[in-house]
Amino acid sequence: MKLFNKVAAAVALATLPVLPLAAQAKQVSLDGSVKAVKVVTDAAGKETTKLVEPTQITPGDRLIFGTDYSNNGAEPATNFTVTNAVPSAVRVAPDADPALIVSVDSGKTWGEIASLTVVSQDGSTRAATHGDVTHVRWTFETIAPGASGRVEYPAIIR
């Protein structure tokens, strides 16, 4: 299987956010997406960054994983959580927001990357790195009726 096909399959699964409580899931819609980051140079030599459909990707390419949310209900959604798995074919980019809440153990524990550790096979621990992240999570105290927004994180193809 070509690298792109493996990544495309992983990306498709990772853009499906974990749904919160059933009642709130009915009122808040979620839509995941993945875009490739491409730098385009115009005739004058000016570079601009564009987000495009990831049609051809190779190791080292940047992607942006995002989830759009919208509260379509008549009541506020409270303590609403969106959790996205990080595909194994990518790693969270080192320039990701340091306040991003992540897991390095498939969702058992959560925190900022700087506060997490990983247990090695020999039982020793080390500081977690962006390559260890398995999931990212955002929690909203309240999403007002009619409110919408987007959450995202940058990743790099392994």
Side-chain angles (χ1 to χ4, degrees):
M1 180 182 273
K2 293 181 180 179
L3 174 63
F4 177 74
N5 291 337
K6 288 180 185 176
V7 172
V11 163
L13 290 175
T15 59
L16 298 173
V18 175
L19 294 178
L21 300 173
Q24 290 191 28
K26 290 178 183 176
Q27 76 184 50
V28 178
S29 62
L30 300 172
D31 184 30
S33 66
V34 179
K35 297 292 183 180
V37 178
K38 295 293 177 190
V39 177
V40 179
T41 306
D42 67 16
K46 180 182 176 191
E47 290 185 345
T48 56
T49 301
K50 297 188 180 221
L51 297 179
V52 299
E53 291 299 319
T55 57
Q56 182 85 19
I57 53 177
T58 58
D61 285 354
R62 284 182 67 88
L63 300 172
I64 301 294
F65 287 79
T67 302
D68 295 306
Y69 62 90
S70 180
N71 183 349
N72 304 312
E75 299 294 324
T78 57
N79 297 317
F80 189 87
T81 300
V82 176
T83 302
N84 286 33
V86 176
S88 61
V90 303
R91 64 183 167 85
V92 172
D95 61 343
D97 181 354
L100 186 65
I101 301 301
V102 300
S103 177
V104 295
D105 59 8
S106 298
K108 293 176 190 152
T109 58
W110 296 91
E112 295 176 1
I113 188 94
S115 71
L116 300 175
T117 58
V118 174
V119 179
S120 301
Q121 289 182 352
D122 65 3
S124 63
T125 59
R126 64 170 172 78
T129 68
H130 289 85
D132 297 319
V133 174
T134 60
H135 293 76
V136 296
R137 177 171 78 181
W138 300 269
T139 301
F140 301 93
E141 187 175 314
T142 303
I143 304 173
S148 62
R150 180 175 176 81
V151 291
E152 57 187 28
Y153 70 92
I156 299 173
I157 300 294
R158 295 184 191 262

